[in-house]
Amino acid sequence: MFARLGRMVAHHPWRVIGVWIIAAIAVIALAPKLASTADESSFLPSHYESIQAQKLQESAFPQHAAPAAIIVLERGDKGALTAADSSTVTQIAGRLRAAAVPDVTSLDVGPASPNKLIQTIGVQMPTENDPQQKAQTDAVKALRTQLQSALAGTDLRGGITGTAAQNLDSQDSGNKADAIIGIATIGLILVLLLIIFRSPIIALLPIITIGLVSQVADGLIAWASNTFDLKTDSSVTSLLIVVLFGVGTDYILFFMFRYRERLRAGDSPREAVAVAVERAGEAIASAAGAVIVAFMALALSTLGLFRSLGPSLAIAVAVTLLAGLTLIPAIVALLGTRVFWPSKAWKTEPRAARFAAIGASMGRRPARFAAISGIVMVALAIAAFSFKPTFDLSSGSTNSTAESTVWQNELLRGEPAGATQPTQVYLKSDSGSPLTADELASYRTKLTAVPGVGSVSAALPNPAGTVAAYQVTLTANPASSDAMNTLKGPLRATAHGAAPAGTSALVGGITAIYVDIQAAVDHDYAVVFPVAAILITIILGLVLRALVAPLYLMASVGLGFGATLGATVLLFQNSGGNKGLIFMLPVIMYMFVVALGTDYNILMITRLREEARAGRSPRAAAAEAVKHAGPTIAAAGLILAGSFASLMLAGQSTLTQMGFAISAGIAVAAFVMAMFFTPALTALIGHAAWWPGHADSASGHGEPSASSGEPEESEPAGQLRR
């Protein structure tokens, strides 16, 4: 299959390029815009209590939802508010109402805080027919302008926080982050490819081609999201940039190394392209297949966030794979040896002395290499057991100077931490008869007595009197572990247990959503992780035609995952002062570290098998594999790890944690696991690694395999040293 594909691309490059251009134009012109949301409730299925409470609120209290935004006001000198100041707050609310900002349905002035430092105005906005919160964020933009105008000439200062304001700031921060990440990723790829190949053409090749591919991928993902109603988090677009450019550049490297090798062997440029596609195709397709399978396993998640993230990234990798096997080779077939201009180094084989020395040392002492690399990963993995999740996506996707963050902190000067996003408890009559005043008052008293509850509002009955709403303000920050423990422990227990006979209760609000997300994530750990591992193991078994090797390769990848999570916990949680790490980090790390770690393992182990088929002993084969495949894995790992590290420049805690974790995971996979642990372990296990077959034997297998994807003779490290 890959031989036929290689010949087709090499002999008809203009047709291949034409098809890509036509497809890109069609997708860009017809595909909808890829939109994202920071509304955590949209990620949960309907059977969770927080979502059922939200639906009850929408039906029973359509005009009394929690404020979409909160205007926070204080004195300019941060002193206590006077009666005149409170009167000014009322006047400001009147001016904002008179401004008639679209999609603002009401502005409700609250009382001054008990210590008189803060006063708020609750802003109600519609949620129906606004799935991406665009109307709300536009309204916040207009309100912010009007608010500063209304504050002019007064002794007060203020700003807007709350869910809608956080969504707006998250979008603005995300747009800036995408620009920073894109520039950093492209810059890194340019520099590293220039160092490796000394050719501006090769350096620009992935930038131009993947820029086109990314437009196709974005369009296909947007179509899939609309068709299957997938909810996309704002961090997905940042990850897409890195996945497309990082993984795409890796696949280009695998092809270019093989292409350069065939030129050195005497092939014409088009013959070299055809053979390079044939020999690198299986490895690239197998590696991409492992990544796609890992990402698609997220479709089994109960969270809409992961169900959209997995297919989105899988589509991006699939399009990148297709480009790596068709578009890139077609362009190279047209350019021929000019692709290396102005360098002539492609004609000369470097010695790769450093990797030869490492390989020779490993061949002599594989147990020492396996033990040292294994101990390093185990030591880091121990710290993973202290991982604590945090569930506040909105604050994690903004920086500390964003208006919503600044004024949420100011709000805490006068109100309990839970005042920013209070919890709602709904008491419902099961028989349809009205709730009595005594029942409502008694129930409120019991809620107030719950530890961790700061205050409980008076009951607000619906017009029929069959449902009553209580606004519960927790003493802890709504996104904190303390608030979540209060809600899933004593508050929900009391709300359900203290409900009068013939009634039932539901607990809703953002903290309840976080609690339910945690339950959903725990479910996903038990389902997604094993399914992804089993499917990738099957792919490894098919590629290697063995049972033993895939098992210890997956075990090593799992150890690499634990080491990566442990390193992230040590840096950000234990040393960085964070109370927890973003809840989706282990799942995203698992997908990237397992999938991409498997990529590098495939490259190393197939090269090792190739050397064994040439008649070398297991230890000698491991030494040669490190010598020849090591530089390729090092170059690819450096580019991919560096690409993901660019996420740390975004200025958002969520992307900073993701960037470090994924880049560290790739570094561990490339420079510890694939470079040392896997070949050393394979050398120790010997022929038994290929049981029940004899994949390492030349007899019965024809010619040595050329599917490893890395060059037999040409190594980037040689270029780096020269």
Side-chain angles (χ1 to χ4, degrees), residues 34-96:
L34 180 61
S36 63
T37 177
D39 179 10
E40 284 90 342
S41 66
S42 66
F43 301 140
L44 281 168
S46 59
H47 66 270
Y48 283 95
E49 182 176 348
S50 60
I51 305 304
Q52 294 175 357
Q54 187 179 70
K55 292 182 177 179
L56 179 60
Q57 176 266 313
E58 290 171 355
S59 62
F61 305 97
Q63 301 302 320
H64 295 280
I70 302 173
I71 299 174
V72 182
L73 299 162
E74 65 184 9
R75 284 188 58 84
D77 57 10
K78 294 199 173 186
L81 294 167
T82 65
D85 293 328
S86 292
S87 176
T88 301
V89 170
T90 302
Q91 294 172 13
I92 289 172
R95 291 186 61 182
L96 294 177

Side-chain angles (χ1 to χ4, degrees), residues 5 28 98 194 273 302 313 435 449 457 476 496 526 575 707-709 713:
L5 178 63
I28 294 170
L194 280 171
V273 167
T302 55
L313 296 179
L435 299 165
S457 68
H496 297 157
S575 302
S707 63
S708 62
E713 299 175 345

Side-chain angles (χ1 to χ4, degrees), residues 170-188 234 237-239 241-242 245 643 646-647 649-652 655:
S170 175
Q171 291 174 13
D172 291 343
S173 179
N175 292 335
K176 294 176 183 176
D178 289 351
I180 293 171
I181 291 166
I183 292 171
T185 301
I186 292 171
L188 176 71
S234 56
T237 54
S238 299
L239 283 174
I241 294 172
V242 178
F245 281 95
S643 298
S646 67
L647 292 171
L649 302 175
Q652 301 176 9
L655 291 178

Side-chain angles (χ1 to χ4, degrees), residues 379-405:
L380 290 173
I382 292 173
F385 291 101
S386 61
F387 168 76
K388 296 178 182 178
T390 182
F391 295 83
D392 188 2
L393 282 180
S394 56
S395 63
S397 57
T398 59
N399 57 51
S400 59
T401 61
E403 181 173 333
S404 59
T405 303

Side-chain angles (χ1 to χ4, degrees), residues 132-491:
Q132 304 300 335
Q133 296 95 37
K134 186 177 187 306
Q136 290 192 0
T137 55
D138 288 347
V140 171
K141 285 182 185 178
L143 272 177
R144 282 177 170 171
T145 301
Q146 295 292 337
L147 174 62
Q148 297 309 314
S149 176
L151 286 169
T154 72
D155 294 329
L156 304 179
R157 59 190 293 267
I160 303 179
T161 186
T163 303
Q166 288 175 338
N167 287 342
L168 172 61
D169 292 339
S170 175
Q171 291 174 13
D172 291 343
S173 179
N175 292 335
K176 294 176 183 176
D178 289 351
I180 293 171
I181 291 166
I183 292 171
T185 301
I186 292 171
L188 176 71
I189 291 172
L190 281 171
V191 170
L192 290 179
L193 289 181
L194 280 171
I195 293 174
I196 293 171
F197 289 101
R198 302 184 194 172
S199 168
I201 296 176
I202 294 179
L204 290 172
L205 186 61
I207 308 304
I208 296 171
T209 56
I210 297 173
L212 174 67
V213 169
S214 68
Q215 298 301 309
V216 176
D218 284 350
L220 295 177
I221 292 167
W223 262 324
S225 297
N226 285 3
T227 301
F228 299 103
D229 192 27
L230 301 177
K231 305 298 183 182
T232 305
D233 173 55
S234 56
S235 63
V236 171
T237 54
S238 299
L239 283 174
L240 282 174
I241 294 172
V242 178
V243 167
L244 285 164
F245 281 95
V247 174
T249 303
D250 267 9
Y251 295 160
I252 291 173
L253 281 174
F254 302 156
F255 167 78
M256 288 303 301
F257 292 152
R258 278 291 188 180
Y259 173 66
R260 187 175 63 180
E261 172 199 343
R262 296 313 307 167
L263 289 175
R264 288 172 176 168
D267 289 354
S268 69
R270 295 206 175 188
E271 288 173 344
V273 167
V275 176
V277 171
E278 176 186 356
R279 297 192 177 184
E282 181 183 353
I284 293 174
S286 300
V291 177
I292 291 170
V293 163
F295 288 157
M296 286 304 297
L298 287 175
L300 300 174
S301 170
T302 55
L303 281 175
L305 166 61
F306 293 148
R307 285 202 309 274
S308 67
L309 176 64
S312 296
L313 296 179
I315 290 171
V317 173
V319 175
T320 304
L321 166 65
L322 187 60
L325 295 179
T326 58
L327 179 60
I328 299 300
I331 294 173
V332 173
L334 290 176
L335 293 174
T337 58
R338 292 188 299 274
V339 74
F340 297 104
W341 180 89
S343 174
K344 302 295 184 181
W346 63 271
K347 297 180 179 180
T348 307
E349 176 190 346
R351 291 178 299 171
R354 294 179 183 174
F355 285 93
I358 293 173
S361 179
M362 178 183 294
R364 291 191 298 270
R365 305 176 187 86
R368 180 180 298 179
F369 277 79
I372 293 174
S373 56
I375 289 171
V376 169
M377 290 191 288
V378 169
L380 290 173
I382 292 173
F385 291 101
S386 61
F387 168 76
K388 296 178 182 178
T390 182
F391 295 83
D392 188 2
L393 282 180
S394 56
S395 63
S397 57
T398 59
N399 57 51
S400 59
T401 61
E403 181 173 333
S404 59
T405 303
V406 170
W407 285 98
Q408 179 169 300
N409 292 334
E410 288 299 304
L411 180 59
L412 300 182
R413 295 178 61 236
E415 300 286 353
T420 57
Q421 293 170 314
T423 294
Q424 288 81 40
V425 177
Y426 300 97
L427 186 65
K428 179 183 178 183
S429 171
D430 296 331
S431 63
S433 58
L435 299 165
T436 67
D438 288 343
E439 288 176 330
L440 297 179
S442 174
Y443 189 65
R444 180 193 179 195
T445 300
K446 293 175 181 177
L447 292 178
T448 304
V450 173
V453 170
S455 64
V456 180
S457 68
L460 174 65
N462 69 335
T466 56
V467 181
Y470 298 85
Q471 183 166 290
V472 179
T473 301
L474 304 179
T475 57
N477 185 300
S480 67
S481 297
D482 290 341
M484 292 175 63
N485 290 335
T486 295
L487 191 138
K488 67 183 177 183
L491 181 55

